Amino acid sequence: MNDFGWHGALSGGTGQRPPRSGVVDLGSNSVRLVVFEGQGRNPQAIFNEKAVLALGRGLQQTGRLNEESIGIALTVLGRYHAVARAMGAEPIEVLATAAVRDAVNGPAFVEALRARMPEVPIRILDGLEEARLSAEGMLLGFPGADGVLADLGGGSLELVRLDDGGIGHCASLPLGSLRLSDRAGGDVVRARAIAEEELARQKWLREGEGRDLYLVGGAFRALARMHIAQTGYPLAIVHHYVLRREEARDLSSVVLAASRRVLERMPGAPQKRLADLPFAAVVLRRLLRVTGAARVVFSANGLREGWYARLLDPAERALDPLLAAAREVAYRWGRDAGLPQALLAWTDPLFPGEEPRHRGLREAACWVSDSGSHDHPEYRAEQVFLRVLRQHGVGLDHHARAFLALTAALRYEAGPDAPCLAPTRVLLDVPTIRRAEALGAALRLAYTLCGGTPVLLAGTWLARAGGRLVLTLTEGSGVFAGESVLRRVEALAASLGLEPEVRVGGDRPR
């Protein structure tokens, strides 16, 4: 395998497995082990297992961890320790949150846990540290986030003010879904009053007016999945899912008005979280009121990714997450490390006056453009579309996913009406689709000319001249204007509203 394949990209060309690290999130409602592979800008979870144990149920009344759950928790955590060690994860750490830090029997539970997980650090987070870690994890996927972060666990609600990617005021409130239910005696009307009173003390939340409300935590993600299922949204990915303020209010109202039986029958409703959903909806509704947020944005990243982020080299952490994700696709599936940047420069003349965001998407599209090279020819367009649309990438919003997937599929000659492309007609507006069509046609022409090599691409260049699109070929460089080249020049020119022209020889523009 060349140095642009899996081994070269992820292990420095040594053929060795990338480093792994593991974190256990020991929460009030659930406990989860995540094992990450590599130390790149885009967290790659290769193992993710959760057990719903409700350690914090009844804590409000008894001051103790749920005795019925302690034995099961120790067994589960013993398994997690064995799994992490067997997978070669190092470091491994346990992060204990609200239930353990607040329970009078929390220290005894931790000592019992140390016996099950020898030599594994067990860190009991205070509320503000938990909030900061959650924010750092969320910011891996939303580096310019601006508004308020709300991380809803079983025992607490962490709140963070975000200012263009900077972490501001933090707070931790006893409003986790389990604890709120206990405090309210299971009554959502009482829960509403409790949440309103707690949130009213945080005067700074009003600074979220007209900005975004970023939601983290399993109960919030469950609400997002329900909305996705009920609306027939074409992408079942919670991360970067966005609701307008009115949509989020309507969703919470529907959940609050539904009986347990009705909730059970709702599309996408998680059976293990049915009891939590009304209290998550209460918190969401109160947050919308107190912050005045214009949109709700869901994040799958939080505490665990924040822990991972602190392992990263600062330079790696500062990379653009969109380009990092696109490069990873290229590293696994592409053929030549030098081609994407060459394609970016080659297509520059086609998009004069391009906005920075559009240029970033074009650069990412160049990186993923060869990712179907190893697929069966009959299925390349569809395969690459699905691969790019559904790729793992914390910095990819749904618009970016759809644009990159559509561009890559068109580069592989997908028909504009191909059934697999249907999601793009929902996720993208018409001007964006037109840009994808033009870029896809340009990339299709480029690969026809160069066979996927920057050396041959260097013997060609594009230029706009008045109302013409001019392709110039260097004589003797191994490229020529055959039928397929002429046809694709015409298609590209048509997508740009220009007349095609092909020349042989001439001076390259400086």
Side-chain angles (χ1 to χ4, degrees):
M1 181 177 291
N2 65 30
D3 64 359
F4 196 49
W6 185 90
H7 294 289
L10 300 183
S11 58
T14 65
Q16 297 178 352
R17 168 179 64 71
R20 293 172 177 174
S21 54
V23 60
V24 175
D25 180 356
L26 180 53
S28 301
N29 193 45
S30 63
V31 57
R32 185 189 297 265
L33 167 66
V34 177
V35 176
F36 296 104
E37 185 164 80
Q39 291 185 348
R41 177 62 178 75
N42 187 33
Q44 293 284 349
I46 60 169
F47 183 87
N48 189 329
E49 183 173 295
K50 178 184 73 172
V52 177
L53 304 177
L55 269 173
R57 188 173 299 283
L59 177 65
Q60 185 67 26
Q61 288 76 28
T62 67
R64 301 176 63 82
L65 297 174
N66 182 354
E67 299 287 353
E68 295 180 358
S69 299
I70 288 176
I72 301 172
L74 292 173
T75 298
V76 169
L77 288 160
R79 165 182 162 73
Y80 286 174
H81 181 233
V83 168
R85 289 299 189 204
M87 295 186 75
E90 180 60 40
I92 309 169
E93 189 168 10
V94 176
L95 305 179
T97 57
V100 174
R101 69 173 172 252
D102 293 341
V104 295
N105 59 341
F109 174 74
V110 169
E111 287 307 308
L113 182 55
R114 291 189 198 281
R116 296 291 183 104
M117 305 181 76
E119 302 179 2
V120 174
I122 300 172
R123 184 157 33 130
I124 302 175
L125 303 174
D126 64 41
L128 296 185
E129 187 177 11
E130 184 179 350
R132 287 192 65 86
L133 271 174
S134 182
E136 289 180 37
M138 192 277 291
L139 287 170
L140 277 182
F142 303 81
D146 190 72
V148 174
L149 164 68
D151 184 352
L152 182 66
S156 61
L157 172 70
E158 275 62 54
L159 299 168
V160 182
R161 188 179 68 203
L162 301 168
D163 300 300
D164 294 324
I167 297 174
H169 194 93
C170 299
S172 181
L173 307 181
L175 291 177
S177 53
L178 282 179
R179 183 169 293 185
L180 181 57
S181 175
D182 287 346
R183 291 177 69 184
D187 185 339
V188 293
V189 176
R190 288 184 60 193
R192 187 179 302 146
I194 292 168
E196 190 166 350
E197 182 180 356
E198 292 278 3
L199 292 171
R201 297 192 185 105
Q202 307 299 318
K203 305 299 184 185
W204 59 273
L205 289 175
R206 297 171 186 169
E207 298 169 14
E209 180 80 32
R211 299 158 83 187
D212 286 338
L213 175 61
Y214 298 89
L215 299 185
V216 175
F220 281 152
R221 288 194 297 272
L223 292 176
R225 290 191 182 96
M226 290 174 65
H227 195 268
I228 286 171
Q230 292 166 11
T231 59
Y233 186 75
L235 193 58
I237 296 177
V238 167
H239 193 52
H240 280 274
Y241 187 59
V242 177
L243 295 179
R244 297 188 303 274
R245 175 185 179 84
E246 295 76 16
E247 291 175 313
R249 281 174 54 86
D250 290 345
L251 173 61
S252 58
S253 296
V254 168
V255 171
L256 286 170
S259 66
R260 170 88 181 206
R261 184 180 294 274
V262 171
L263 279 177
E264 288 174 350
R265 295 175 179 174
M266 284 186 178
Q271 298 305 305
K272 291 185 178 181
R273 285 197 176 272
L274 286 178
D276 299 334
L277 293 179
F279 299 96
V282 165
V283 174
L284 173 55
R285 190 68 180 265
R286 297 302 100 185
L287 282 169
L288 287 168
R289 173 172 291 187
V290 73
T291 63
R295 300 191 313 167
V296 164
V297 183
F298 293 90
S299 171
N301 282 16
L303 178 73
R304 298 175 293 274
E305 289 74 22
W307 176 88
Y308 169 89
R310 293 186 178 182
L311 301 179
L312 297 181
D313 179 274
E316 185 73 28
R317 192 168 170 177
L319 295 175
D320 183 312
L322 168 66
L323 295 180
R327 289 184 188 118
E328 286 175 8
V329 172
Y331 294 155
R332 284 174 169 81
W333 302 99
R335 291 175 290 179
D336 194 304
L339 186 59
Q341 288 299 322
L343 288 170
L344 179 65
W346 194 80
T347 55
D348 275 343
L350 304 180
F351 303 96
E354 191 174 34
E355 296 178 14
R357 170 167 169 75
H358 293 161
R359 190 178 195 279
L361 285 169
R362 179 162 62 88
E363 181 174 356
C366 290
W367 278 100
V368 304
S369 63
D370 202 32
S371 55
S373 59
H374 295 81
D375 294 323
H376 191 286
E378 295 295 330
Y379 297 100
R380 275 182 183 149
E382 181 177 1
Q383 189 79 354
V384 78
F385 178 82
L386 295 175
R387 177 181 295 126
V388 174
L389 183 71
R390 299 172 180 175
Q391 68 173 293
H392 180 72
V394 297
L396 287 165
D397 62 31
H398 294 190
H399 172 277
R401 288 177 181 277
F403 177 85
L404 296 180
L406 177 58
T407 303
L410 293 173
R411 167 267 193 267
Y412 283 107
E413 300 190 82
D417 298 321
C420 69
L421 304 185
T424 63
R425 291 189 278 274
V426 177
L427 298 171
L428 301 176
D429 58 23
V430 172
T432 304
I433 291 173
R434 295 292 175 261
R435 282 197 303 275
E437 289 172 345
L439 182 53
L443 293 170
R444 188 160 66 245
L445 171 61
Y447 280 95
T448 302
L449 290 165
C450 75
T453 68
V455 173
L456 292 184
L457 189 65
T460 74
W461 61 92
L462 291 170
R464 285 175 176 259
R468 293 173 294 123
L469 173 69
V470 180
L471 169 67
T472 303
L473 309 177
T474 301
E475 193 169 5
S477 63
V479 293
F480 65 96
E483 180 184 349
S484 60
V485 168
L486 295 174
R487 187 172 65 251
R488 287 170 183 177
V489 172
E490 290 173 358
L492 174 58
S495 73
L496 297 169
L498 302 173
E499 291 295 321
E501 180 180 340
V502 178
R503 299 176 182 173
V504 177
D507 296 327
R508 177 182 289 277
R510 295 184 180 274

